């Protein structure tokens, strides 16, 4: 098998097929769609434009593979996981380059993703040995009662373009570790990074045919593939990493077809800065949390809520540091701010910044762009009716809000329908720790940025940030509990 299985070079442009049943396949009529580089909008690759027929082939392949995979021993599954991790390590630099070119991820973040992917796969190998159930109490004498966890069947995973490589693996590892098979539908904005690379690796690692399948599609054609997922009796779970708008549509359809859902959605993540904080540390933390990956990940800091006593000093230092962040080609190791994913993404960010300014917001730095690079932007005095004050905006823009007391800071942090990540920075760690449970978010970080993740931790959101958790806790999302009871002797009946 070649290092680039499923791809061929045609006139200097790579052409990718989709992956189903352990085979690389062309879409019907050899239909392809174009993938463009965010940095310079140059054509990067052409990818199979799948539809209902391709999705059906993938679902059938996953269904056929399920019975055998569900019975595979923990040792064999773990061996496959470790092989996959070794391949990721071997291809570290190459995959990082693909991420930088296809998604605009800076090369430092792209390389970090590979290290995180390898570590995640290795940790997930151990999940195979976690308890598969529990012994239950029984009121009937002589009865042994147990709850046994069993895999569900086929899981349909929707993977995003941002943090594409990490999140594509996250959407696959828990389901297959739990004994399910998976069909991945990657974002059309990053089909290679969000799915096809994963397919290459599981093939080389020797996973059985049909355990992991990847179906790609052209822009605007996701609905046809989703139709197959919802109509198939084999698909038991819809697993989404994406946005609220998509989640609401999928949840509505899942309700109609009685399919389970697990959803990791966006965030409007607050960073609270209390007045006893080390100011330089607060500035460094805010800069990283706000502008990491150009503000294009769900954990980015969107609002900074700072106590009035230190607000002016914080804003002055934060603005000065932000102005020093270098922008440019994401493949350049010096670049901190790379391009946004599409011209439409740039326009959305710019429109929302301009609307806020028109309504009276103050601009401290940024608010301009060239090509697809939007300069890191700090706003204050943003009115509550501005879209950017209420809706997640995927870009390097952060709002600073001033409050008088820690209690007001918590109240401000909870003034949103989102609830993914949050942070509190304080000199007195215990003071911040006491405030933490009052914040309505799935993740509360004390003296750490909102961009914070541990592989084994139950990361996930509340309210409009979704439901379900990552890490070993997530295995439950992809399993049924079967109650088995055995009575030694004869039961007595009333008639």
């Amino acid at each position: 098998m070649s290092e680039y299985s499923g791809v061929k070079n045609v006139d200097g442009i790579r052409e990718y097929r989709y992956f189903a049943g352990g085979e690389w396949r062309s879409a019907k009529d050899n239909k392809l769609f174009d993938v463009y580089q965010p940095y310079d909008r140059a054509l990067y690759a052409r990818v199979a434009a799948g539809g209902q027929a391709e999705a059906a082939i993938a679902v059938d392949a996953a269904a056929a593979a399920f019975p055998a995979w569900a019975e595979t021993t923990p040792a064999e599954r773990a061996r496959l996981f470790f092989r996959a991790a070794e391949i990721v390590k071997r291809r570290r630099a190459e995959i990082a380059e693909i991420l930088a070119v296809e998604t605009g991820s800076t090369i430092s973040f792209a390389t970090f993703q590979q290290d995180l992917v390898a570590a995640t796969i290795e940790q997930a190998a151990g999940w195979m040995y976690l308890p598969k159930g529990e012994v239950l109490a029984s009121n009937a004498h002589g009865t042994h009662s147990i709850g046994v966890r069993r895999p569900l069947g086929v899981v349909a995973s929707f993977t995003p373009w941002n943090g594409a490589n990490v999140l594509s693996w996250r959407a696959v590892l828990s389901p297959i570790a739990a004994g399910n098979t998976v069909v991945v539908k990657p974002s059309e904005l990053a089909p290679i990074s969000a799915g096809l690379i994963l397919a290459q690796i599981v093939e080389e690692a020797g996973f059985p045919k049909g355990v992991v399948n990847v179906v790609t599609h052209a822009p605007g054609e996701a609905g046809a593939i989703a139709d197959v997922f919802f109509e198939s009796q084999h698909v038991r779970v819809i697993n989404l990493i994406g946005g609220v708008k998509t989640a609401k549509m999928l949840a509505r359809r899942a309700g109609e077809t009685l399919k389970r859902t697990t959803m990791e959605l966006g965030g409007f993540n607050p960073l609270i800065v209390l007045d006893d904080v080390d100011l330089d540390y607060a500035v460094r933390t805010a800069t990283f949390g706000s502008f990491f990956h150009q503000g294009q990940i769900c954990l980015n800091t969107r609002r900074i809520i700072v106590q009035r006593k230190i607000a002016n000093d914080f804003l002055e230092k934060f603005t000065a540091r932000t102005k020093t962040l270098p922008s440019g080609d994401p493949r350049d190791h010096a670049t901190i701010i790379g391009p946004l994913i599409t011209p439409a993404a740039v326009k959305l960010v710019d429109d929302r910044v301009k609307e806020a300014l028109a309504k009276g917001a103050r601009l401290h730095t940024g608010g301009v762009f060239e090509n697809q690079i939007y300069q890191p932007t700090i706003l204050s005095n943003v009115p509550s009716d501005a879209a950017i004050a209420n809706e997640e905006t995927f870009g390097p823009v952060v709002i600073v809000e001033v409050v008088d007391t820690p209690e007001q800071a918590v109240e401000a942090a909870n003034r949103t329908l989102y609830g993914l990540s949050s942070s509190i920075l304080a000199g007195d760690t215990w003071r911040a720790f006491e405030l933490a449970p009052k914040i309505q978010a799935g993740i509360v970080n004390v003296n750490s940025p909102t961009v914070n993740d541990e592989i084994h931790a139950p990361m996930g959101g509340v309210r409009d940030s979704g439901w379900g958790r990552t890490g070993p806790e997530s295995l439950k999302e992809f399993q049924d509990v079967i109650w088995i009871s055995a009575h030694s002797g004869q039961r007595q009946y009333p008639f």
Side-chain angles (χ1 to χ4, degrees), residues 178-427:
N180 304 280
T181 54
V182 181
V183 178
V184 176
K185 188 216 76 64
S187 167
E188 67 273 24
L189 299 179
I192 303 163
S193 301
L196 294 175
I197 289 175
L198 184 152
Q200 290 177 347
I201 291 169
V202 298
E203 181 193 27
E204 184 176 349
F207 278 74
K209 294 181 178 181
V211 172
V212 176
N213 310 269
V214 178
V215 181
T216 51
H217 64 87
E221 300 298 324
I225 293 175
D227 287 343
V228 173
F229 293 161
F230 284 109
E231 292 166 6
S232 172
Q233 294 183 351
H234 297 303
V235 175
R236 295 288 308 280
V237 185
I238 303 297
N239 179 26
L240 171 69
I241 304 175
V244 172
K245 182 178 179 181
T246 300
K248 289 180 177 179
M249 178 188 68
L250 294 179
R252 189 179 304 114
R253 296 195 65 185
E256 294 170 352
T257 55
L258 296 180
K259 295 188 187 299
R260 294 190 188 185
T261 60
T262 177
M263 298 188 173
E264 181 184 327
L265 309 179
F268 202 65
N269 310 305
L271 170 69
I272 293 175
V273 183
L274 300 183
D275 58 13
D276 64 339
V277 74
D278 180 309
L279 203 56
D280 289 335
Y281 178 71
V283 167
R284 294 197 305 272
T285 303
T287 306
F288 172 77
S290 301
F291 305 125
F292 183 65
H293 195 34
Q294 300 83 258
Q296 293 182 119
I297 57 176
C298 58
L299 298 174
N300 280 119
T301 301
R302 306 295 177 193
R303 294 183 300 153
I304 300 172
I305 303 164
V306 58
Q307 281 193 264
R308 193 175 304 278
K309 180 181 176 181
I310 61 170
N312 288 337
D313 289 342
F314 172 82
L315 259 171
E316 181 180 348
K317 290 190 173 188
F318 182 40
T319 301
R321 184 175 179 85
T322 299
K323 288 180 177 179
T324 68
L325 301 179
S327 60
D329 189 333
R331 292 170 294 185
D332 186 335
H333 286 263
T335 296
I336 300 297
I337 305 297
L340 298 186
I341 188 67
T342 62
V346 176
K347 185 178 187 305
L348 177 63
V349 171
D350 194 53
D351 286 350
R352 288 186 175 175
V353 169
K354 286 178 177 175
E355 183 212 19
L357 294 176
K359 291 188 173 197
R362 180 184 174 188
L363 177 68
H364 294 266
T365 187
V368 295
F369 66 92
E370 184 176 354
N371 298 323
Q372 285 189 217
I373 296 180
Y374 205 95
Q375 291 302 313
T377 300
I378 302 171
L379 300 172
S380 65
N381 300 327
V382 175
S384 59
D385 62 342
I388 205 167
N390 299 286
E391 301 174 35
E392 183 182 40
T393 301
F394 249 42
V397 181
V398 68
I399 296 169
V400 177
E401 181 177 348
V402 179
V403 297
D404 291 308
T405 67
E407 292 71 27
Q408 289 176 348
V410 171
E411 181 181 351
N414 291 336
R415 197 172 54 243
T416 174
L417 291 177
Y418 293 93
L420 183 56
S421 185
S422 60
S423 290
I424 306 172
L425 304 183

Side-chain angles (χ1 to χ4, degrees), residues 93-147:
E94 172 220 334
I95 297 174
E97 179 84 6
I98 292 172
L99 276 165
V101 175
E102 186 186 24
T103 73
S105 173
T106 61
I107 198 68
S108 60
F109 178 42
T111 304
F112 166 79
Q113 283 193 59
Q114 302 323 299
D115 295 336
L116 183 58
V117 164
T120 301
I121 299 171
E122 288 173 341
Q123 283 205 23
W127 299 350
M128 262 64 86
Y129 289 95
L130 293 174
K132 302 297 183 183
E134 58 183 334
V135 177
L136 307 174
S138 176
N139 287 319
H141 291 294
T143 296
H144 298 278
S145 182
I146 61 173

Side-chain angles (χ1 to χ4, degrees), residues 18-40:
Y18 78 100
F19 187 68
E23 297 180 11
W24 293 95
R25 305 165 184 257
S26 298
K28 185 178 179 181
D29 300 325
N30 292 315
K31 188 177 179 183
L32 301 165
F33 70 98
D34 295 336
V35 178
Y36 294 93
Q37 301 180 36
Y39 179 61
D40 57 12

